[in-house]
């Protein structure tokens, strides 16, 4: 009996243990009930007649008006009572309506429900809620309020009317936020040599120093030559004794290898000890900055920095944009043989070419075939995992001579690397939003110009592989329906500014800055993109929709930079390396470092939960939905 209402089983409060059938009898009545379930407990599924140990701590609550069934749903009701200041009946009705069931059924034992549709709804919501509770409690700080953690994990998120996702480029967490106070960063890595020392390509020999930056061009070579003399450990790029003050966040660094198989080889089973070995940029992979001059750093200090957020898929920007919108990898039936990668029996490592340098200290690696497509996998399909062009314009692949100017030349204009990907048909988060009657938009810098001026594509101001929806048949510009979908949902940055100012942002908005404002190594510096996004956030905060807005600023992938935290194991596709994520909202916890496990699919999971969408099958059960970053009582 939770006499003081703090959501914890305190010493001295009346208590009881559940029996083998899950039932309990408290010696007193008339108050709140709290249940603490630990790893010594067993969860029983009466439908499947199976049991399994509880994997991580769970806390459930029930209001005094209905203390008999303690569940995720009763926890959601008491959370709504506390965070929204609602009476019991109103809170129960609100939670029930969000699930599409009656309040009576919501507060009953769904295991005894005879309506199979209602039972399935409540059971699924319970499983999802239990997972969120476990992740939230596992990542909680000792000073965190358990009640608020439970409220974020179980209550409705209807105070949030607009979700805005800003997608930046190619930075690992340690690269930009490794020195962030209170985060799991460089200091933790340096405490244990095994957390950072890099191995040579044999996977056994510890490198005596960092390899040279092989990918540096002639104009960059002298500035980055110092890397080859550094000890085998992470180093500050922007300050001695590793780097130099002249290589600060406003300087463009060389680009680094960031491809599907290379990323897996660098992660090396979670040891993260072969980043330098399998990069054309060699030791630059181990570099990091003091990110404190960034405006985004200051926003992270004010709101929430997630320090356990991983890129959805191994490898580069192209594949991770798909995972942002569909949690899927694009299929390519019968791809050109020249595009298929050559991998070993593990299915995750590229085969080395004859004559490839045996040591990372003597040259960059060379592979038999590091293509854009996987070999045929167990399901009998090939997948496009490295940059491939869309079949619709804008595309790096030009239209065919004399062909439809809205399409890319299906022959690749004579170049096999430019043969476009066949249009995809997977369901996206855009489809699930539209099915619910909800508007959404993908805003992109230089989109309008790219439709008429190929120079912005060839100069990489607009990058077609950063517009995932343009790969889907729903947006075929040669059909009336596809043209209408493009006009409704694929927009320019100027449209974003207009919608912000008028207070007409859709419920879900994605924004991809143009290429020189994304913080992508090799293309641009960090500070240009930082200033651009900070200015955009300020505009969003000044908009009439701010009071009900949630902004997520994150990165598509690590860009080849090392990070010391092992990604969680999930499936063939990822997750990959840890990347920064900042949650900005009136409902964000203030000055908080969130250590709950997330990946790119967490964004889809949050949108799906908030708007009651049909779930996408690729969204991972192992990650939470970012709700632990929120305090809905604000």
């Amino acid at each position: 009996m939770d006499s003081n209402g703090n959501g914890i089983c305190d010493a001295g409060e009346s208590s009881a243990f559940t029996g083998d059938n899950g039932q309990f009898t408290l010696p007193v009545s008339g108050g709140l009930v709290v249940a603490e379930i630990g790893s010594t407990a067993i969860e029983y599924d009466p439908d499947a007649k199976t049991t399994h140990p509880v994997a991580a701590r769970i806390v459930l609550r029930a209001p005094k008006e209905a203390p008999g069934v303690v569940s995720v749903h009763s926890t959601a009701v008491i959370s709504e009572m506390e965070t929204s200041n609602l009476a019991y009946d109103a809170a129960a009705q609100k939670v029930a309506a969000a699930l599409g069931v009656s309040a009576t059924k919501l507060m009953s034992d769904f295991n005894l429900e005879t309506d199979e549709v209602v039972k399935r709804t409540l059971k699924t919501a319970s499983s999802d809620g239990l997972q969120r509770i476990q992740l939230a409690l596992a990542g909680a700080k000792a000073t965190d309020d358990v009640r608020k953690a439970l409220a974020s994990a179980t209550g409705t998120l209807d105070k949030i009317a607009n979700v805005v996702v800003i997608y930046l480029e190619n930075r690992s967490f340690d690269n930009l936020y490794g020195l962030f106070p209170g985060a799991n960063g460089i200091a933790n890595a340096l405490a244990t040599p095994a957390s950072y020392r890099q191995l040579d390509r044999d996977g056994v020999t510890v490198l005596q120093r960092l390899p040279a930056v092989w990918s540096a061009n002639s104009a960059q070579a002298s500035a980055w030559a110092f890397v080859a003399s550094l000890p085998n450990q992470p180093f500050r790029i922007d300050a001695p004794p590793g780097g130099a003050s002249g290589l600060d966040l406003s300087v463009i660094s060389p680009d680094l290898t960031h491809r599907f198989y290379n990323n897996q080889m660098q992660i090396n089973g979670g040891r993260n000890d072969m980043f330098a070995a399998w990069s054309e940029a060699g030791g630059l992979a181990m570099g990091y900055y003091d990110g404190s001059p960034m405006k985004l750093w200051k926003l992270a200090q004010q709101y929430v920095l997630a320090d356990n957020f991983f890129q959805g898929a191994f490898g580069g920007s192209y594949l991770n944009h798909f995972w942002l919108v569909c949690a899927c990898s694009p299929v390519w039936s019968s791809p050109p043989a020249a595009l298929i990668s050559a991998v070993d029996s593990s299915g995750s490592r590229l085969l080395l070419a004859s004559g490839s340098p045996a040591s990372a200290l003597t040259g960059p690696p060379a592979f038999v075939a590091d293509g854009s497509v996987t070999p045929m996998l167990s399901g009998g399909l090939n997948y496009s995992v490295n940059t491939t062009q869309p079949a619709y314009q804008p595309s790096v692949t030009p239209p065919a001579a004399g062909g439809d100017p809205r399409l890319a030349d299906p022959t690749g204009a004579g170049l096999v690397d430019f043969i476009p990907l066949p249009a995809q048909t997977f369901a996206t988060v855009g489809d699930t939003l539209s099915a619910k009657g909800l508007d959404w938009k993908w805003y992109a810098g230089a989109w309008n110009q790219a439709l008429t001026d190929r120079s912005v594509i060839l100069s990489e101001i607009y990058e077609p592989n950063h517009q995932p929806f343009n790969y889907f048949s729903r947006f075929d510009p040669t059909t009336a329906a596809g043209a209408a979908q493009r006009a409704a949902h694929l927009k320019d940055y100027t449209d974003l500014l207009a919608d912000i100012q008028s207070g007409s942002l859709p419920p879900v908005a994605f924004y991809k800055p143009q290429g020189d404002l994304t913080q992508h190594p090799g293309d641009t510096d960090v500070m240009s993109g930082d200033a651009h996004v900070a200015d955009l956030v300020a505009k969003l905060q000044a908009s009439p929709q701010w009071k009900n807005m949630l902004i997520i600023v994150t990165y598509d992938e690590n860009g080849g930079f090392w990070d010391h935290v092992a990604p969680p194991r999930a499936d063939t596709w990822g997750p990959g390396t840890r990347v920064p994520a900042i949650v900005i909202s009136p409902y964000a916890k203030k000055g908080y470092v969130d250590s709950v496990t997330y990946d790119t699919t967490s964004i889809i999971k949050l949108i799906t939960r908030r708007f009651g969408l049909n779930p996408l099958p690729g969204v991972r059960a192992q990650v939470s939905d970012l709700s632990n970053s929120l305090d809905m009582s604000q």
Side-chain angles (χ1 to χ4, degrees):
M1 189 66 62
D2 190 10
S3 302
N4 59 10
N6 66 350
I8 299 172
C9 290
D10 292 309
E13 292 180 328
S14 297
S15 62
F17 287 95
T18 54
D20 290 343
N21 60 3
Q23 294 182 345
F24 65 94
T25 301
L26 285 168
V28 296
S29 61
L32 305 173
V33 175
V34 60
E36 296 250 17
I37 301 104
S39 56
T40 58
I42 297 294
E43 183 175 357
Y44 173 61
D45 183 341
D47 295 324
K49 294 181 171 55
T50 57
T51 62
H52 60 83
V54 171
R57 177 185 175 217
I58 299 168
V59 177
L60 301 174
R61 306 176 73 199
K64 62 182 181 181
E65 292 84 352
V69 175
V70 188
S71 67
V72 167
H73 309 309
S74 68
T75 308
V77 170
I78 196 169
S79 295
E80 288 294 336
M81 294 172 69
E82 292 176 346
T83 61
S84 300
N85 196 27
L86 296 176
Y88 166 74
D89 288 339
Q93 290 289 348
K94 181 180 180 182
V95 176
L99 294 175
V101 300
S102 70
T104 300
K105 291 182 180 293
L106 177 82
M107 299 302 288
S108 301
D109 181 355
F110 60 79
N111 293 295
L112 305 177
E113 177 58 52
T114 57
D115 185 320
E116 287 302 317
V117 174
V118 172
K119 182 176 183 177
R120 183 167 57 251
T121 298
L122 292 172
K123 188 172 184 178
T124 300
S126 176
S127 296
D128 291 345
L130 285 173
Q131 180 218 35
R132 289 194 298 270
I133 289 170
Q134 288 174 307
L135 286 167
L137 294 178
K141 314 292 188 292
T143 56
D144 286 353
D145 188 330
V146 170
R147 294 168 300 178
K148 290 185 177 181
L150 297 178
S152 296
T154 63
T156 64
L157 302 176
D158 60 338
K159 292 178 181 178
I160 296 170
N162 299 92
V163 177
V164 179
V165 181
I166 302 173
Y167 216 34
L168 292 170
E169 286 282 303
N170 295 44
R171 299 284 171 175
S172 72
F173 185 92
D174 278 336
N175 177 250
L176 289 184
Y177 289 90
L179 300 179
F180 193 90
N184 181 7
I186 298 296
N188 289 346
L190 292 178
T192 308
S195 296
Y196 64 78
R197 65 185 180 190
Q198 298 294 289
L199 302 182
D200 211 342
R201 292 183 187 141
D202 60 5
V204 176
T205 305
V206 177
L207 289 168
Q208 296 305 302
R209 56 179 173 82
L210 292 181
V213 185
W214 306 111
S215 61
N217 60 38
S218 57
Q220 298 169 325
S222 61
W224 296 91
F226 71 92
V227 174
S229 63
L230 295 178
N232 181 357
Q233 64 183 54
F235 68 95
R236 275 276 300 274
I237 293 172
D238 54 338
S245 56
L247 296 176
D248 60 25
L249 293 160
S250 63
V251 174
I252 300 175
S253 76
D255 200 4
L256 300 87
T257 303
H258 46 104
R259 295 169 67 80
F260 180 69
Y261 291 109
N262 305 75
N263 188 214
Q264 294 175 73
M265 295 163 72
Q266 290 174 321
I267 291 169
N268 194 25
R271 291 177 289 276
N272 292 325
D273 56 6
M274 301 194 77
F275 273 80
W278 298 120
S279 178
E280 291 184 355
L284 179 57
M286 302 302 294
Y288 66 93
Y289 296 92
D290 174 6
S292 62
M294 295 189 301
K295 294 179 180 178
L296 287 176
W297 178 291
K298 294 172 178 59
L299 284 167
Q301 287 180 312
Q302 183 180 355
Y303 293 101
V304 177
L305 177 67
D307 71 346
N308 212 26
F309 187 108
F310 299 85
Q311 62 188 68
F314 300 119
S317 300
Y318 163 77
L319 185 57
N320 277 285
H321 280 73
F322 276 90
W323 276 79
L324 174 65
V325 302
C326 67
C328 65
S329 296
V331 171
W332 195 338
S333 300
S334 303
L339 297 181
I340 298 175
S341 298
V343 302
D344 68 8
S345 58
S346 73
S348 62
R349 299 178 64 85
L350 294 166
L351 294 176
L352 286 171
S354 175
S356 178
S359 172
L361 298 177
T362 57
F367 303 107
V368 173
D370 182 9
S372 60
V373 182
T374 67
M376 187 175 290
L377 300 185
S378 58
L381 296 171
N382 301 83
Y383 294 84
S384 174
V385 291
N386 293 318
T387 298
T388 308
Q389 295 304 313
Y392 310 134
Q393 296 296 340
S395 177
V396 170
T397 306
D404 192 321
R406 296 169 294 183
L407 301 177
D409 185 342
T411 71
L415 298 173
V416 68
D417 285 344
F418 286 173
I419 294 176
L421 179 75
Q424 300 294 295
T425 58
F426 291 106
T428 70
V429 69
D431 295 319
T432 59
L433 284 161
S434 294
K436 196 78 171 181
L438 295 165
D439 192 18
W440 61 274
K441 291 181 173 66
W442 179 285
Y443 301 92
W447 167 256
N448 286 345
Q449 190 177 358
L451 290 169
T452 59
D453 180 3
R454 289 190 57 77
S455 69
V456 298
I457 300 173
L458 300 178
S459 65
E460 298 186 337
I461 295 298
Y462 176 83
E463 300 191 59
N465 61 307
H466 293 171
Q467 171 45 293
F469 290 108
N470 196 36
Y471 288 85
F472 286 84
S473 59
R474 175 177 174 176
F475 298 95
D476 183 343
T478 67
T479 67
Q485 288 295 308
R486 293 170 78 88
H489 299 295
L490 308 186
K491 298 292 185 177
D492 190 75
Y493 178 59
T494 57
D495 300 309
L496 174 59
L497 294 179
D499 289 347
I500 292 171
Q501 186 172 16
S502 64
S504 56
L505 283 173
V508 176
F510 299 93
Y511 172 54
K512 186 70 184 187
Q514 66 185 48
D516 57 351
L517 297 173
T518 62
Q519 300 186 335
H520 191 303
D523 295 340
T524 186
D525 64 305
V526 173
M527 295 307 280
S528 297
D530 177 70
H532 173 69
V533 174
D535 177 68
L536 177 61
V537 170
K539 287 180 169 63
L540 289 165
Q541 291 174 319
S543 81
Q545 293 171 291
W546 163 247
K547 62 182 181 296
N548 298 110
M549 186 179 293
L550 172 66
I551 304 168
I552 303 165
V553 181
T554 190
Y555 291 72
D556 56 0
E557 41 107 348
N558 69 316
F561 283 112
W562 164 85
D563 188 89
H564 79 278
V565 177
R569 297 176 183 267
D571 50 50
T572 300
W573 311 110
T577 301
R578 188 176 61 145
V579 295
I582 305 170
V583 178
I584 304 167
S585 172
Y587 299 105
K589 295 175 181 176
K590 301 302 185 289
Y592 188 77
V593 175
D594 186 357
S595 297
V596 169
T597 301
Y598 303 117
D599 74 15
T600 306
T601 68
S602 296
I603 297 172
I604 299 177
K605 186 173 280 192
L606 177 77
I607 293 168
T608 298
R609 177 184 168 196
R610 164 57 188 93
F611 296 107
L613 311 180
N614 290 327
L616 295 175
V619 173
R620 296 191 175 103
Q622 298 96 326
V623 299
S624 197
D625 63 0
L626 288 167
S627 57
N628 188 63
S629 292
L630 306 177
D631 177 0
M632 301 309 298
S633 66
Q634 299 185 78

